[in-house]
């Protein structure tokens, strides 16, 4: 994971300078409005992605959400020197409930969840995180949640339209015919967004970042068509 983040730069969007400039311009606009840019890192693992975002956006608040206890303990140690990173031990979902951990690959980075009233962890929602502090504005939502995309996008998805950049990894390859990609794209494709790919991550840039141009960024679209451009 460290190699993917820091050596391969899988969260970097510098290969797309127009989109990179738009994100940083939006970041500055939020700060100029005396608000705090908010980054939500869902499935933060041991904190490498949160650290990457903390160095690129030092004045943003970053919620690093990780459910697995061992990963969370390492996460807390890794981000201790970053005052803008807030570790939260929880799963992310569309509703607050109880959940159990599952790991189909037996790898430390491959923990997912399933809803379970007897489960050992709590799940929280993105709207819940938005209400934790005032005067914040969403900048980035990142999720790498090992198949729980279905639960995250099942309902309570108003945050999608508010988020300039959504970065995610899909997990249909885990099997089970759960339709994780369908769950994500069915919600993201209702408004105009650009899609690019770097490594395992897909970057979804809202056209609201292009508000100075003639495109009606807020207008819903009905075709559901989208294109993904790969970056090696």
């Amino acid at each position: 994971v460290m190699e993917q983040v820091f050596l391969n730069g899988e969260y970097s969007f510098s290969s797309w300078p127009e989109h990179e400039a738009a994100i940083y311009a939006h970041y500055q606009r939020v700060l100029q409005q005396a608000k705090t840019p908010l980054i939500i890192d869902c499935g933060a693992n041991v904190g490498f992605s949160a650290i990457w975002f903390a160095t690129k956006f030092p004045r943003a608040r970053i919620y690093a959400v990780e459910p697995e206890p061992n990963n969370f303990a390492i996460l807390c140690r890794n981000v201790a020197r970053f005052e803008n990173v807030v570790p939260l031990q929880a799963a992310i979902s569309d509703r607050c409930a109880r959940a159990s951990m599952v790991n189909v690959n037996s790898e430390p980075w491959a923990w997912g969840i399933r809803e379970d009233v007897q489960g050992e962890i709590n799940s929280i929602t993105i709207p819940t995180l938005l209400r934790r502090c005032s005067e914040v504005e969403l900048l980035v939502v990142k999720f790498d949640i090992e198949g729980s995309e279905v639960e995250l996008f099942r309902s309570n998805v108003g945050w999608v339209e508010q988020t300039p950049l959504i970065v995610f990894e899909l997990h249909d390859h885990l099997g089970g015919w759960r339709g994780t990609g369908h769950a994500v794209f069915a919600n993201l494709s209702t408004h105009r967004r650009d899609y690019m790919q770097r490594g395992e991550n897909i970057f979804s840039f809202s056209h609201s970042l292009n508000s100075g141009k003639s495109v009606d960024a807020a207008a819903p679209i009905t075709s559901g068509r989208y294109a993904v451009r790969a970056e090696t």
Side-chain angles (χ1 to χ4, degrees), residues 94 145 147-155 172 178-181 183-184:
D94 67 329
I145 49 179
S148 298
E149 298 93 328
V150 174
E151 287 74 23
L152 177 59
F153 284 90
R154 181 173 50 192
S155 66
D172 285 327
R178 300 194 69 229
T180 62
V184 175

Side-chain angles (χ1 to χ4, degrees), residues 81-158:
R81 68 185 181 90
F82 295 91
E83 295 182 358
N84 59 331
V85 178
V86 181
L88 299 169
Q89 186 176 5
I92 198 77
S93 186
D94 67 329
R95 59 191 177 196
C96 298
R98 299 290 291 177
S100 294
M101 303 297 305
V102 294
N103 190 329
V104 297
N105 290 332
S106 300
E107 297 287 356
W109 58 83
W111 287 97
I113 64 162
R114 68 167 182 270
E115 291 185 352
D116 179 1
V117 294
Q118 302 298 322
E120 67 272 23
I121 59 169
N122 290 314
S123 62
I124 56 176
T125 72
I126 289 176
T128 299
L129 294 175
L130 282 168
R131 292 192 294 268
R132 285 178 66 96
C133 59
S134 59
E135 300 302 318
V136 297
E137 186 169 329
L138 272 171
L139 180 68
V140 180
V141 172
K142 166 258 172 181
F143 56 91
D144 183 358
I145 49 179
E146 304 301 324
S148 298
E149 298 93 328
V150 174
E151 287 74 23
L152 177 59
F153 284 90
R154 181 173 50 192
S155 66
N156 211 7
V157 292

Side-chain angles (χ1 to χ4, degrees), residues 175-226:
W177 296 94
R178 300 194 69 229
T180 62
H182 176 77
V184 175
F185 283 118
N187 286 280
L188 268 59
S189 63
T190 59
H191 284 72
R192 296 186 185 277
R193 307 185 72 93
D194 279 8
Y195 295 87
M196 277 81 87
Q197 185 165 356
R198 185 178 181 89
E200 295 178 338
N201 294 319
I202 298 173
F203 293 72
S204 173
F205 295 88
S206 171
H207 278 210
S208 64
L209 293 164
N210 193 37
S211 57
K213 304 295 178 59
S214 60
V215 175
D216 185 356
I221 57 178
T222 57
S223 68
R225 296 176 62 189
Y226 47 82

